[in-house]
Amino acid sequence: MSHSLAVTRSTTTAGRTRQTVNEWFNRFVASDPGLTRLRLAVQTVVSVAAVIGVEWLFVQFAHPLMVSGDSAAVAAENRAAGVMGMMAGAMVVMVSSFAGPMFTRVRDGLLGLALLPCAMFIGVVAGLALQDVKVVALAVMIVALGGAGFLRRFGAWGFVIGQGLFMGNFLGFFLGHLTDVSGVGWIAAELAIGGAVAIAAQLVLSYPSRWSAVQRLRSSFLGRADAVAAATVEVLDHPDSERSRRRRHEKLVRLNESALMIDAQLAENPRLPVGTTAAELHQHVFAAELALANASRFARAIAVADTPDSVRTLVRDAMVAVVQRAPEPVDRIGRALRELLRQDDTSAQIDDGTLLVLHRFATSVIAYAQVLAAINRQRFEPYLDRVRSHDVPEQDRFAASVSLVGGWLPGSSAVSATASREKTGQSVAARLDPSVRAGIQMTVAAAISVVAGSLISADRFYWAVLATFVTFMGANNAAEQVRKGAFRVIGTILGVVVGALLAEIVGRDVPLSIAVILVSLFLGIYLMRISYAFFAMSITILVAQLYVQLAEFSAELLEMRVLETLVGAAAAVATVIFVLPLRTSRVVRVATREFLTALSALVTDTVRGVRDGEGGHRLEAVSRDLDVAFQALESATSPSRAMLRVPGTFGGVNQQWWAAANAAHSYARDLVADAQWCTAIDGPEGARLDDATAAMAASITELVEALAEHRSTRVYTRSASLFERVATELDDHGRLTPRQLVLRDLQLIDGATAALAKSADIDVHAVDTAVTDR
């Protein structure tokens, strides 16, 4: 008996261990959609390690930039030449790791990576040739940095050329104490080695994995679906917790992000599950997201309702089964709940509204179980078949609502570009192409950082210039640039502390130093999207190790790096604030207009479906358009919301602005969900519904136009009472039927958009009165 009990306990413990491991693995997958961060970090570190090895071999056999002699000074100079050669190759592969994913076609990507060392070589030659003419050399560096901004106009090609020219010029300053233009042949060879390793890494590590992106993203989607269900269980356990409700909503937003990323990859001709088309996989993902969002929404309502313990237990068990990704138990519990609700003694204890919500919850979890089972049955082709190129017939190609940039959603780049080009009520000069604005700002900031950095240190001023350069990279507007500059300084300070400690521990042990560099680089790149401070910290640790190997390390040197970084970041921040600023409020207004336009289209199409009796069908495209616009708005407001310290305003936009837009998006998703079960609304009520919808669309248009004007006298007219009138005239008034839920959702959307209008300081009127609702 004791032996049997011990076996049982052992089995239980092993099961719990496996469950814990699976749970943490799912969290890991969910935190990194498509393992994009992990793949980039691994590729960069492997490439850097490879190029260091190849460059070391090149140094051992070719002895580039080395001089003859047995003195300690000659040995130190030769060691520095070897280290700098490795650094040149590492710079090529690091830039290539970020540039490669920007090209959608393999051929273009390979050509772009081949162009990078060429551009860097031109920059190196300019830096070496002008090292004795300091003023001209500094002017060239300013032009190179500003040119990187102007070259943004040409997308990935401009990025490669701009990065190459500036980083090459930066490297030329570094190499100036080792050689002059007579050594450019050796430098060209070292850059070519870096380019060859970068291309090999793309061919071996990056491009084959592009075909399996959908498979990885689908895993991330399911992991985030588990997180939504877990957050919903938390809401059921703690119905009064605002933190639990907020966490549940955040998980839903992240789930939507994964779904959009899958859609974007489906449009890029990826490998799909055997026997499945891109359109079918999109429908599965859309149905799964909608069903789970419905179940989570209904569970939130059930959490605060008065229901029997037996019913509440089944609701919770269903969501727990969703967390465990077990479609059979989910389906079984959903059906058991539905049968329980049909029993007279149970239904008698529940009011009609809650009873309908419970039925809808059961239907939603059953629908989720069915689509989850369908997804689980899908199998992808073997690896060798998957990486083999193939063509998809034109009629089977999938058209997505969004395209990825470097493997991620575009964020605020599109709305920032629109805001930059638009004429506003401020000044004609502020209406510029984004590349022109960036080029001017980067040139001004470079001039400031060069002058200020040179006053601090004539030998280390380029750290200030580098800090200015990276502050502008990957940032689209003033708020993003200010935040990145702050993270650059914070990360550098932390990197100085950790770098000094590691420098003392490692000393001049070359293998250990390389290991420290690779580990810190991996962590910095992997955590960079969480906070840029991690990447800045890792680069500072790398620099500390580099100077240890060059026998130039000192505490004063690291202090100088902090000071120069602070100067460079401050120059960038001051420039984006005072020179042709693209302010957050301006970008958010553009993002809000695009969101409202997508919202109006969704409402119109949904009501059209309700009028025709087709419910929520045919709404995938407009739903995804709204999701894309919402994600852009979320990204545009993210820096300001993150930096918000006290209640009030952020970036010129009231806090309630984001809350109202967030609510409108949630209500719109509820509308799509409720429309699925809605029967047709026809006759006089249908005609009134059309009038109410037209009134809402007109009001949203007024709001959109008002947001486009610097000062507006336009008015948002409420339409909620028109939808309420339709609801009262229907024969199901007083009951929580699908038709009534749809009409309630429309009223809530009107309320959210009216709140947004108030937050934007736009007058709001009731539909049947001239009295302003302020």
Side-chain angles (χ1 to χ4, degrees):
M1 178 69 71
S2 61
H3 174 71
S4 176
L5 181 60
V7 171
T8 301
R9 288 177 176 173
S10 176
T11 303
T12 302
T13 301
R16 289 176 179 173
T17 301
R18 285 194 299 271
Q19 182 177 349
T20 301
V21 171
N22 289 336
E23 180 181 347
W24 280 104
F25 178 76
N26 289 337
R27 289 183 180 181
F28 166 71
V29 171
S31 68
D32 183 12
L35 301 181
T36 305
R37 291 189 290 119
L38 178 64
R39 288 170 53 246
L40 177 62
V42 169
Q43 178 184 329
T44 304
V45 169
V46 170
S47 302
V48 169
V51 82
I52 287 175
V54 176
E55 296 280 8
W56 180 83
L57 291 173
F58 179 68
V59 169
Q60 298 304 307
F61 290 100
H63 309 294
L65 301 179
M66 294 188 177
V67 296
S68 301
D70 297 326
S71 67
V74 169
E77 185 175 345
N78 288 340
R79 181 185 179 92
V83 170
M84 294 306 295
M86 296 178 189
M87 191 186 87
M91 289 174 65
V92 174
V93 298
M94 284 185 63
V95 176
S96 296
S97 296
F98 290 99
M102 299 176 69
F103 293 92
T104 57
R105 298 172 59 188
V106 174
R107 184 183 64 180
D108 290 345
L110 297 179
L111 289 175
L113 297 187
L115 180 62
L116 176 62
C118 299
M120 288 187 66
F121 178 72
I122 294 173
V124 169
V125 171
L128 290 176
L130 299 172
Q131 61 179 313
D132 295 329
V133 191
K134 192 66 175 289
V135 175
V136 178
L138 295 180
V140 169
M141 178 170 278
I142 294 171
V143 171
L145 196 155
F150 287 106
L151 287 169
R152 288 185 180 185
R153 176 187 296 269
F154 304 104
W157 296 101
F159 176 85
V160 165
I161 296 173
Q163 287 270 336
L165 290 174
F166 174 75
M167 297 304 292
N169 192 248
F170 174 81
L171 182 60
F173 272 88
F174 241 85
L175 295 171
H177 69 285
L178 291 176
T179 186
D180 52 24
V181 291
S182 64
V184 295
W186 290 118
I187 297 171
E190 290 169 333
L191 292 175
I193 290 172
V197 172
I199 290 173
Q202 287 292 319
L203 289 172
V204 175
L205 299 176
S206 179
Y207 290 135
S209 66
R210 286 191 179 187
W211 306 118
S212 58
V214 168
Q215 185 176 7
R216 295 192 307 273
L217 281 168
R218 195 186 67 168
S219 296
S220 298
F221 175 83
L222 293 174
R224 289 188 168 184
D226 299 343
V228 169
T232 304
V233 172
E234 187 178 331
V235 170
L236 288 167
D237 292 340
H238 307 284
D240 297 327
S241 171
E242 178 60 30
R243 177 182 175 276
S244 297
R245 291 194 293 269
R246 185 169 59 250
R247 181 171 177 269
R248 167 192 161 276
H249 177 76
E250 291 171 353
K251 299 300 182 184
L252 283 169
V253 172
R254 297 183 69 192
L255 179 68
N256 181 243
E257 178 191 38
S258 293
L260 289 174
M261 292 177 71
I262 291 175
D263 277 4
Q265 287 290 355
L266 289 174
E268 295 188 8
N269 193 17
R271 290 290 173 175
L272 301 172
V274 178
T276 303
T277 66
E280 289 171 346
L281 187 55
H282 158 76
Q283 290 172 353
H284 284 148
V285 171
F286 185 86
E289 183 191 6
L290 189 59
L292 183 57
N294 286 346
S296 179
R297 175 168 62 101
F298 296 138
R300 180 192 63 188
I302 294 167
V304 296
D306 184 14
T307 57
D309 291 341
S310 57
V311 171
R312 188 177 293 271
T313 299
L314 284 175
V315 170
R316 188 183 189 280
D317 289 346
M319 297 311 298
V320 170
V322 171
V323 174
Q324 297 170 350
R325 210 178 294 177
E328 293 83 2
V330 174
D331 183 81
R332 185 173 62 252
I333 294 170
R335 295 183 187 279
L337 175 60
R338 194 158 59 185
E339 290 299 321
L340 180 62
L341 295 173
R342 289 171 179 169
Q343 297 177 10
D344 293 339
D345 55 340
T346 301
S347 59
Q349 303 176 54
I350 307 172
D351 65 81
D352 291 342
T354 303
L355 189 62
L356 177 61
V357 170
L358 285 164
H359 274 289
R360 298 281 293 281
F361 173 84
T363 302
S364 297
V365 295
I366 292 171
Y368 182 75
Q370 292 172 346
V371 71
L372 180 60
I375 291 175
N376 289 343
R377 287 193 296 268
Q378 295 172 350
R379 293 292 179 266
F380 285 82
E381 297 168 332
Y383 178 78
L384 292 178
D385 292 335
R386 186 171 66 239
V387 300
R388 200 165 52 229
S389 63
H390 71 297
D391 293 322
V392 175
E394 190 66 32
Q395 65 272 16
D396 292 334
R397 292 185 180 274
F398 178 76
S401 298
V402 65
S403 298
L404 301 183
V405 177
W408 298 94
L409 294 179
S412 67
S413 59
V415 291
S416 294
T418 301
S420 182
R421 294 188 182 99
E422 278 192 345
K423 182 179 180 180
T424 68
Q426 299 171 3
S427 65
V428 177
R431 184 184 180 187
L432 295 169
D433 184 88
S435 62
V436 175
R437 184 187 303 275
I440 294 173
Q441 289 179 333
M442 292 174 71
T443 301
V444 172
I448 296 172
S449 61
V450 163
V451 173
S454 297
L455 291 176
I456 295 172
S457 172
D459 296 327
R460 310 295 183 189
F461 73 94
Y462 45 72
W463 282 339
V465 182
L466 186 61
T468 297
F469 181 71
V470 298
T471 299
F472 282 93
M473 292 297 101
N476 303 298
N477 53 65
E480 293 178 0
Q481 289 154 343
V482 169
R483 181 173 66 168
K484 192 166 186 179
F487 283 153
R488 178 77 182 183
V489 173
I490 293 170
T492 300
I493 294 173
L494 294 175
V496 163
V497 175
V498 178
L501 179 62
L502 289 174
E504 292 295 328
I505 296 173
V506 174
R508 301 193 74 184
D509 186 321
V510 175
L512 187 56
S513 179
I514 292 175
V516 168
I517 288 173
L518 295 178
V519 171
S520 65
L521 188 61
F522 172 84
L523 293 175
I525 293 175
Y526 181 70
L527 299 173
M528 181 168 58
R529 284 191 67 88
I530 296 175
S531 172
Y532 182 77
F534 289 112
F535 184 70
M537 179 178 175
S538 74
I539 294 299
T540 304
I541 294 172
L542 185 154
V543 168
Q545 293 296 317
L546 174 65
Y547 279 106
V548 167
Q549 298 306 317
L550 294 174
E552 298 181 20
F553 177 80
S554 67
E556 291 76 15
L557 183 70
L558 292 183
E559 291 173 2
M560 181 67 67
R561 177 169 173 80
V562 172
L563 184 57
E564 293 282 4
T565 299
L566 181 61
V567 167
V573 169
T575 301
V576 299
I577 291 176
F578 296 109
V579 179
L580 302 176
L582 185 58
R583 303 195 185 281
T584 302
S585 57
R586 187 169 161 187
V587 176
V588 170
R589 281 176 173 263
V590 171
T592 305
R593 282 161 35 203
E594 296 190 359
F595 169 75
L596 289 170
T597 301
L599 175 65
S600 182
L602 182 140
V603 168
T604 301
D605 282 12
T606 303
V607 171
R608 185 181 298 117
V610 169
R611 291 280 284 115
D612 296 339
E614 296 187 6
H617 301 296
R618 305 182 306 174
L619 294 179
E620 288 93 341
V622 287
S623 295
R624 285 297 182 236
D625 289 342
L626 179 66
D627 293 338
V628 171
F630 177 75
Q631 291 286 345
L633 178 59
E634 193 277 338
S635 181
T637 59
S638 178
S640 299
R641 288 186 287 114
M643 292 188 290
L644 181 66
R645 293 186 296 273
V646 294
T649 62
F650 60 84
V653 179
N654 191 282
Q655 288 185 73
Q656 283 68 41
W657 186 304
W658 165 248
N662 199 3
H665 180 247
S666 297
Y667 296 147
R669 294 179 67 84
D670 292 347
L671 175 65
V672 173
D674 291 330
Q676 290 184 104
W677 292 282
C678 187
T679 57
I681 301 178
D682 49 21
E685 294 82 7
R688 292 192 180 93
L689 176 60
D690 289 338
D691 293 341
T693 305
M696 175 183 279
S699 295
I700 292 177
T701 299
E702 283 289 296
L703 178 53
V704 169
E705 295 295 332
L707 291 172
E709 300 168 355
H710 184 53
R711 292 180 179 177
S712 177
T713 58
R714 295 177 183 270
V715 174
Y716 181 91
T717 303
R718 294 292 306 270
S719 55
S721 60
L722 300 177
F723 292 111
E724 184 178 8
R725 180 182 178 185
V726 176
T728 58
E729 292 178 349
L730 292 173
D731 55 11
D732 55 2
H733 180 57
R735 292 181 287 129
L736 208 58
T737 63
R739 295 196 301 182
Q740 294 292 331
L741 288 172
V742 164
L743 292 167
R744 186 193 65 174
D745 293 334
L746 291 167
Q747 294 176 59
L748 290 172
I749 291 172
D750 174 67
T753 50
L756 199 156
K758 291 181 185 179
S759 299
D761 201 27
I762 296 166
D763 290 347
V764 178
H765 289 182
V767 69
D768 54 355
T769 178
V771 178
T772 303
D773 180 11
R774 298 290 297 187

